Amino acid sequence: MIAVLMSSNAYQARLLPTEDKNVCICGSERKSYAWLVTPHTLGTVSLTVVAETLPYRVCGRSPLTLNSTWRDTLVKPLLVEPEGIEKEMTQSSLVCTNGSTVSQSVLLPSPENLVRDSSRAYWSVHGDILGPAMQNLGNLLQMPFGYGEQNMVLFSSNFHILDYLSQTQQLTEKIKSKAIAYLIKGYQKQLSYKHPDGSYSTFGPQDQQGRTWITPLVYKYFAVSKPYIFIDDNIQSRTFIWLMNNQQADGCFLNVGPAFHSVLKGQDDKISLTAYVVNALIEAGHPISSAPIQRGLQCVEAAARARATTTYEQALLAYTFSLAGQEGKRQFLINKLQETAKKRDGLVYWELEKKPSVEEAALGYRWASSAEIETNCYVLLALLSHPQLTSGELSYASQIVKWVSRQQNSRGRFSSTMDTVLALQALTLFQRLTFSRNRQNSVLIFSSQPFQMGFHVNNQNRLLLQQIPLSTTNKNYTVEVSGYGCVFVQATLKYSIFLPKKSTGFFLSVNTANAVCRGSFDTKFDLVVTASSLGRRSSSNMAVIDVKMLSGFVPDKPSIEKLQRDGQVQRVETKASHVFFYLENITQRKIQFSFSVKQDALVTSIRPAFIQIYDYYGADEHAYSEYSTPCQQMSFAGSLF
């Protein structure tokens, strides 16, 4: 028997000599093979090793004769990534036609500080605005995971997609069974973040108490999911009692624990928190006439009279009064919001005060913040929730939808957690109200260079992803959409940049210590991470420290698990070649923790790896650092079998 690494255009491989000089393997024997592998492409490269018997071979002194050949194959994926920090930029548009042709330009920017040959671009066409969210069940209809809030975002995403497809009669049995299975697992996972008193928190019982911002979210989505999965009414009753115990005499709800993102809601959260809870209770099915809801409405009305409201609060209250059926107050706020709306290129949207980052300015593109997406989605929900929606309001809402749809990334998500929940809720509601089976569009993308590709979108393929690669050497493209109906088109640019020199909001450093450099698979050292807040606020929101592993290295699991057990970090997640540390907040006082990494594969010419920290609810606040291995004696490259 002999083993062979199959050749491929994706890599170059050379068999390395070993101490065992025998070429083949006889019965009850074993042999190690080693190849020097040099990848030629980025992405997942499949290494295929085939072991097969030979018709005739002399192994030592014993001849082996076989009348047939037996073969076994092993395929091992190898992830090949460019150095630097991974980035993604999308340009999305919801294009609607009514027998006409609409033309738009697509410009692929040239990012500064770009890692050579790291750019990849794609063009996607969807027949539904939720296409990016539904193009692959592994993206939004995925197994819920992570901390309590993130789990609920995935749970709610699953619910909205399932409910939308069901109400528009597009739900297949295959999607239904998978979505319901994910909801069940998400429900069971969320219960692990429940406190004995019925409340929920970001990290579950390890937090001292439940939190008012996340508990209504869980309560609401458990209630609306009852048509699809079993929800324990006793648990729901306990949660409702906890919420009622935190409603004060004036009808306002007490804020227990930190808010989702305090940078948005500020110190006085009477209006936003109470309106948020009232909305959840109404959406969960409680009658508007019930005492908790009526008292909550009295609270927000009194608080709104006492001071000027922000744009965010106006949008939130407009939705609250829409749900409560208070048409006069809803219309007053919508009129007030229309006065401050920005209008450009057929879009209607609201911006909050925010200066573009250095990278945004260099690219000529401004990403919307989580707070801005929430604001626009609340306005959209306030308009669409009206029982007697006029054609004028629907047309106005469609212009907001076009702005919201532009904020989606290639996976159908948005800036953060709560804005993803709200955006999917608003977009699915809009899609239900405007759904039509009588639509058919042709999409053509072309450039001045010899490139042209056409797509056809109809009822049969409206939920399917149609995607092609684009050349990044050509920066200018034009897309033309004709026919009847709407299509969602998206250009995605993925690239890597070298470590930025500037940071905002945080200090971050990383050092190596306690190195053990004994050669092959006996190399280990510690990473010492130091961080603090440098922002205008004394404390950040929840912060995430993302540590990229060096090529060929993996984190030492016991060391990172100990950090979580000891309470130095609230949660640790390992995903692909990254380790994510979640911290409830970062203050101006420096924190420090360390963990171990060890060699897992032999690699040569190891490039430095980066580490970054960012505010989970405001990724424009971030800092970067990098580290290298203190052991440089590795002499092999690629993977060993």
Side-chain angles (χ1 to χ4, degrees):
M1 178 178 288
I2 191 169
V4 177
L5 175 62
M6 304 301 290
S7 60
S8 170
N9 292 330
Y11 58 81
Q12 179 182 356
R14 176 169 62 87
L15 181 65
L16 297 174
T18 62
E19 294 180 359
D20 187 353
K21 302 300 181 182
N22 290 331
V23 177
C24 63
I25 312 166
C26 293
S28 302
E29 292 182 351
R30 65 181 182 179
K31 175 179 173 62
S32 295
Y33 293 84
W35 288 272
L36 180 72
V37 179
T38 305
H40 290 163
T41 61
L42 296 174
T44 300
V45 174
S46 295
L47 301 174
T48 303
V49 174
V50 177
E52 62 180 337
T53 59
L54 302 178
Y56 177 80
R57 173 68 66 182
V58 177
C59 294
R61 297 180 179 178
S62 302
L64 175 64
T65 304
L66 295 174
N67 295 324
S68 60
T69 300
W70 296 84
R71 173 180 292 188
D72 195 7
T73 301
L74 170 67
V75 179
K76 182 177 180 181
L78 176 67
L79 179 62
V80 183
E81 299 175 303
E83 63 179 305
I85 300 171
E86 303 158 314
K87 294 287 185 178
E88 176 183 293
M89 179 182 298
T90 57
Q91 296 181 57
S92 308
S93 292
L94 178 65
V95 184
C96 298
T97 58
N98 187 22
S100 59
T101 298
V102 177
S103 178
Q104 293 185 356
S105 61
V106 177
L107 175 63
L108 297 181
S110 300
E112 293 185 350
N113 204 21
L114 182 69
V115 174
R116 183 180 177 183
D117 298 329
S118 67
S119 297
R120 295 96 69 202
Y122 310 90
W123 176 257
S124 305
V125 177
H126 311 266
D128 194 295
I129 197 173
L130 298 170
M134 293 185 290
Q135 63 179 298
N136 189 322
L137 293 181
N139 283 340
L140 271 175
L141 290 182
Q142 62 182 312
M143 195 73 71
F145 69 100
Y147 59 93
E149 181 188 331
Q150 186 184 47
N151 186 71
M152 277 312 300
V153 172
L154 297 171
F155 183 93
S156 63
S157 301
N158 294 338
F159 165 78
H160 283 303
I161 291 174
L162 175 63
D163 198 53
Y164 163 67
L165 295 177
S166 176
Q167 294 199 33
T168 55
Q169 299 180 340
Q170 300 181 86
L171 185 63
T172 64
E173 283 300 318
K174 181 179 180 180
I175 296 177
K176 180 179 178 180
S177 61
K178 185 171 289 189
I180 288 178
Y182 286 145
L183 282 180
I184 293 173
K185 292 183 181 298
Y187 170 66
Q188 295 170 342
K189 178 71 174 177
Q190 193 62 37
L191 295 181
S192 68
Y193 300 105
K194 183 177 68 66
H195 292 251
D197 58 11
S199 64
Y200 296 83
S201 67
T202 305
F203 301 106
Q206 74 180 71
D207 294 323
Q208 293 183 352
Q209 56 188 343
R211 300 185 178 179
T212 315
W213 280 102
I214 190 174
T215 300
L217 182 73
V218 179
Y219 182 77
K220 162 191 165 179
Y221 277 103
F222 280 4
V224 298
S225 297
K226 281 186 177 182
Y228 299 107
I229 64 173
F230 168 76
I231 301 293
D232 192 326
D233 288 334
N234 293 326
I235 292 176
Q236 284 287 85
S237 296
R238 209 170 300 132
T239 302
F240 179 75
I241 292 172
W242 185 87
L243 287 170
M244 294 306 99
N245 288 338
N246 284 286
Q247 189 173 29
Q248 299 170 298
D250 60 358
C252 300
F253 283 87
L254 180 66
N255 183 21
V256 180
F260 271 142
H261 37 101
S262 58
V263 66
L264 169 65
K265 297 174 175 67
Q267 299 300 317
D268 180 9
D269 47 30
K270 272 189 177 182
I271 294 178
S272 52
L273 175 60
T274 302
Y276 174 77
V277 178
V278 167
N279 292 354
L281 294 175
I282 296 176
E283 291 172 317
H286 288 272
I288 298 170
S289 59
S290 63
I293 292 176
Q294 288 299 311
R295 291 170 56 213
L297 291 172
Q298 292 170 5
C299 161
V300 295
E301 290 174 21
R305 287 194 300 267
R307 65 169 174 83
T309 53
T310 65
T311 302
Y312 173 85
E313 291 168 337
Q314 292 169 11
L316 173 58
L317 287 177
Y319 181 47
T320 302
F321 292 132
S322 181
L323 289 175
Q326 297 187 11
E327 171 59 20
K329 295 171 184 175
R330 164 192 174 272
Q331 192 60 51
F332 171 79
L333 288 169
I334 287 178
N335 292 341
K336 197 171 183 178
L337 286 161
Q338 287 177 334
E339 294 174 0
T340 59
K342 294 184 179 295
K343 300 178 181 179
R344 180 177 60 85
D345 300 332
L347 308 178
V348 174
Y349 58 99
W350 288 262
E351 281 186 353
L352 305 182
E353 290 295 326
K354 173 179 179 280
K355 293 182 179 180
S357 67
V358 174
E359 184 180 3
E360 290 172 339
L363 294 174
Y365 184 85
R366 181 184 183 276
W367 289 285
S369 68
S370 177
E372 288 172 326
I373 296 171
E374 283 191 45
T375 300
N376 283 268
C377 288
Y378 274 129
V379 178
L380 188 55
L381 286 168
L383 289 168
L384 299 177
S385 299
H386 193 256
Q388 297 178 334
L389 186 65
T390 66
S391 58
E393 287 180 319
L394 188 60
S395 176
Y396 187 76
S398 68
Q399 298 176 74
I400 306 173
V401 167
K402 289 181 179 180
W403 182 90
V404 173
S405 67
R406 290 193 175 191
Q407 314 310 318
Q408 291 189 74
N409 64 22
S410 62
R411 298 171 301 282
R413 298 189 182 277
F414 292 80
S415 176
S416 185
T417 50
M418 193 58 194
D419 59 351
T420 297
V421 173
L422 281 172
L424 286 174
Q425 181 181 355
L427 292 179
T428 51
L429 178 56
F430 177 80
Q431 285 293 92
R432 287 202 300 268
L433 293 172
T434 59
F435 180 78
S436 171
R437 295 189 180 277
N438 300 320
R439 53 178 58 188
Q440 191 167 215
N441 292 97
S442 294
V443 181
L444 181 68
I445 182 170
F446 57 91
S447 69
S448 56
Q449 294 183 3
F451 174 84
Q452 181 172 300
M453 181 65 69
F455 305 86
H456 190 66
V457 179
N458 53 34
N459 293 326
Q460 285 68 45
N461 65 7
R462 64 179 296 160
L463 297 181
L464 298 178
L465 164 68
Q466 299 185 67
Q467 186 179 79
I468 58 168
L470 295 178
S471 172
T472 56
T473 58
N474 181 22
K475 300 297 181 181
N476 296 287
Y477 292 89
T478 300
V479 58
E480 288 184 353
V481 180
S482 58
Y484 294 86
C486 298
V487 293
F488 183 75
V489 294
Q490 185 178 70
T492 301
L493 177 67
K494 296 185 177 182
Y495 58 97
S496 296
I497 61 173
F498 293 105
L499 192 73
K501 296 181 180 180
K502 293 185 178 181
S503 60
T504 59
F506 291 102
F507 164 81
L508 180 68
S509 70
V510 58
N511 296 291
T512 60
N514 304 321
V516 176
C517 308
R518 295 172 181 163
S520 303
F521 299 109
D522 195 10
T523 297
K524 186 175 181 180
F525 57 88
D526 292 343
L527 286 179
V528 183
V529 179
T530 306
S532 64
S533 174
L534 299 177
R536 296 183 301 273
R537 293 169 286 122
S538 59
S539 174
S540 72
N541 301 299
M542 184 173 68
V544 178
I545 296 179
D546 172 6
V547 180
K548 178 77 163 60
M549 290 290 98
L550 293 166
S551 297
F553 283 79
V554 296
D556 178 64
K557 287 186 177 180
S559 68
I560 60 176
E561 290 171 353
K562 185 176 185 299
L563 287 175
Q564 186 170 324
R565 286 197 311 270
D566 294 346
Q568 290 183 269
V569 299
Q570 273 61 54
R571 184 172 178 83
V572 181
E573 286 181 8
T574 302
K575 189 174 182 181
S577 58
H578 294 254
V579 184
F580 299 94
F581 298 93
Y582 294 88
L583 297 102
E584 187 170 59
N585 56 53
I586 297 287
T587 67
Q588 294 177 356
R589 181 178 180 181
K590 288 184 179 180
I591 64 161
Q592 188 175 89
F593 63 87
S594 63
F595 66 101
S596 300
V597 298
K598 58 184 180 181
Q599 187 180 18
D600 181 59
L602 299 179
V603 177
T604 191
S605 302
I606 299 176
R607 306 297 298 168
F610 72 88
I611 172 174
Q612 65 174 317
I613 183 173
Y614 56 88
D615 189 310
Y616 190 81
Y617 303 102
D620 54 330
E621 294 188 1
H622 54 254
Y624 300 94
S625 188
E626 66 179 5
Y627 68 97
S628 301
T629 172
C631 307
Q632 295 291 349
Q633 78 279 12
M634 278 74 76
S635 58
F636 292 98
S639 296
L640 289 179
F641 291 85

